[in-house]
């Protein structure tokens, strides 16, 4: 089990000090204070912004993604394009221990339709936990206005679930801020964003969002579930 490289008082002090700091400043501090840090890139709009910022900073940081084996073809296409655009020669692909066939054999076909929490645990949470054991901190693209479950996110947090420091540089940004940055810096993004998908997960558990709907209502539609378990 990891132990926090920074004590909780220090983390709280950093969070207060950088409550209104620019994302680039938060990333800079994280790189300075966390000897081993990794960036969880889902290749969603927010994460593409952070990826671009890190590239412009020439930051040496591990970048990884969770390949559940059921991502959209558009997501896989963006991963390929981003690897070339940002020269991500050491991009880490983190996979579940079970193949989809093995999962079906052990838990039944289409587990995501019956027990999405269990499916997310197998294909996302456990692989993430395994990857994070080698690091002191991880960076995410969480924003406070994305969902009520994220409303109290801090720039720096003691992640007690995974026992390391969590860094959220975009907490104060709005959706408009994200897309302004993407437009201003020609950041590549997932083609599904233009087709009504503000939040993109796995094929079977993501649908387009209608105008006026909550941005995350397209995730696990029909279930009382808004998070995959990575951030709660």
């Amino acid at each position: 089990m990891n132990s926090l490289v920074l004590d909780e008082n220090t983390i709280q002090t950093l969070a207060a000090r950088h409550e209104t700091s620019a994302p680039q400043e938060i990333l800079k501090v994280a790189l300075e204070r966390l000897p081993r840090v990794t960036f969880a890139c889902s290749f969603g709009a927010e994460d593409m912004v952070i990826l671009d910022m890190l590239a412009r900073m020439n930051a040496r940081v591990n970048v990884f993604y969770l390949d559940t084996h059921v991502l959209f073809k558009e997501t896989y296409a963006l991963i390929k394009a981003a690897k070339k655009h940002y020269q991500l020669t050491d991009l880490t692909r983190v996979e579940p221990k079970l193949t989809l066939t093995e999962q079906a054999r052990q838990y039944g076909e289409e587990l995501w339709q019956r027990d999405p929490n269990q499916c997310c645990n197998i294909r996302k949470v456990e692989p993430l936990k395994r990857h994070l054991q080698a690091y002191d901190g991880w960076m995410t693209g969480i924003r406070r206005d994305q969902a009520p479950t994220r409303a109290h996110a801090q720039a720096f947090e003691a992640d007690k679930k995974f026992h390391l420091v969590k860094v959220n540089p975009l907490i104060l940004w709005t959706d408009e801020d994200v897309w302004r940055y993407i437009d201003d810096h020609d950041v590549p993004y997932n083609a599904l964003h233009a087709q009504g998908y503000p939040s993109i997960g796995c094929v079977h558990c993501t649908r387009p969002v209608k105008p006026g709907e909550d941005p995350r209502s397209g995730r696990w539609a029909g279930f009382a579930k808004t998070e995959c378990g990575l951030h709660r």
Side-chain angles (χ1 to χ4, degrees):
M1 180 181 293
N2 295 4
S3 58
L4 290 172
V5 68
L6 302 176
D7 62 67
E8 292 197 34
N9 286 337
T10 299
I11 296 169
Q12 290 173 6
T13 298
L14 285 173
R17 182 180 301 158
H18 296 286
E19 167 67 17
T20 59
S21 293
Q24 292 91 336
E25 176 63 18
I26 294 171
L27 291 171
K28 180 175 179 289
V29 172
L31 292 167
E32 291 172 349
R33 300 298 297 267
L34 301 172
R36 301 175 302 166
V37 64
T38 185
F39 170 41
C41 187
S42 69
F43 295 92
E46 289 82 4
D47 288 349
M48 291 306 299
V49 166
I50 294 175
L51 187 61
D52 189 84
M53 290 177 175
L54 289 170
R56 291 174 186 275
M57 294 166 64
N58 293 314
R60 299 189 65 178
V61 57
N62 171 261
V63 180
F64 77 95
Y65 69 102
L66 298 174
D67 187 353
T68 61
H69 301 161
V70 280
L71 301 179
F72 283 87
K73 69 180 189 306
E74 290 87 352
T75 302
Y76 288 115
L78 177 59
I79 292 170
K80 183 177 179 180
K83 286 177 68 174
K84 181 178 180 180
H85 186 83
Y86 294 109
Q87 300 180 7
L88 298 175
T89 56
D90 59 348
L91 177 66
T92 302
R93 178 190 184 200
V94 179
E95 301 178 86
K97 288 184 176 180
L98 296 181
T99 66
L100 290 168
T101 300
E102 291 168 337
Q103 178 174 299
R105 188 179 302 127
Q106 291 188 35
Y107 297 93
E109 296 287 344
E110 299 183 340
L111 178 62
W112 49 83
Q113 289 191 0
R114 294 177 286 103
D115 191 346
N117 287 326
Q118 176 74 321
C119 190
C120 283
N121 190 61
I122 294 168
R123 313 210 71 76
K124 290 186 176 183
V125 180
E126 190 281 330
L128 176 66
K129 182 178 181 181
R130 196 174 353 112
H131 178 75
L132 292 183
Q133 287 176 348
Y135 294 93
D136 302 309
W138 66 307
M139 302 170 174
T140 87
I142 281 180
R143 294 187 293 106
R144 287 179 181 168
D145 72 353
Q146 286 172 323
T149 52
R150 302 180 177 189
H152 302 291
Q154 302 295 311
F156 293 88
E157 300 178 357
D159 189 331
K160 296 182 180 179
K161 181 169 186 173
F162 297 113
H163 308 285
L164 75 174
V165 181
K166 186 175 182 180
V167 184
N168 306 308
L170 299 182
I171 51 168
L172 295 184
W173 274 32
T174 64
D175 189 59
E176 290 74 18
D177 293 326
V178 170
W179 286 99
R180 185 181 304 111
Y181 184 98
I182 288 173
D183 291 340
D184 288 347
H185 297 87
D186 294 320
V187 177
Y189 60 89
N190 197 315
L192 290 173
H193 287 310
Q195 299 174 37
Y197 291 82
S199 178
I200 304 167
C202 296
V203 170
H204 304 292
C205 300
T206 311
R207 67 161 176 80
V209 171
K210 298 175 183 177
E213 285 187 314
D214 184 281
R216 290 186 65 80
S217 63
R219 305 291 297 277
W220 306 285
F223 290 93
K225 177 178 172 65
T226 58
E227 297 282 355
C228 56
L230 305 185
H231 302 296
R232 291 189 67 186

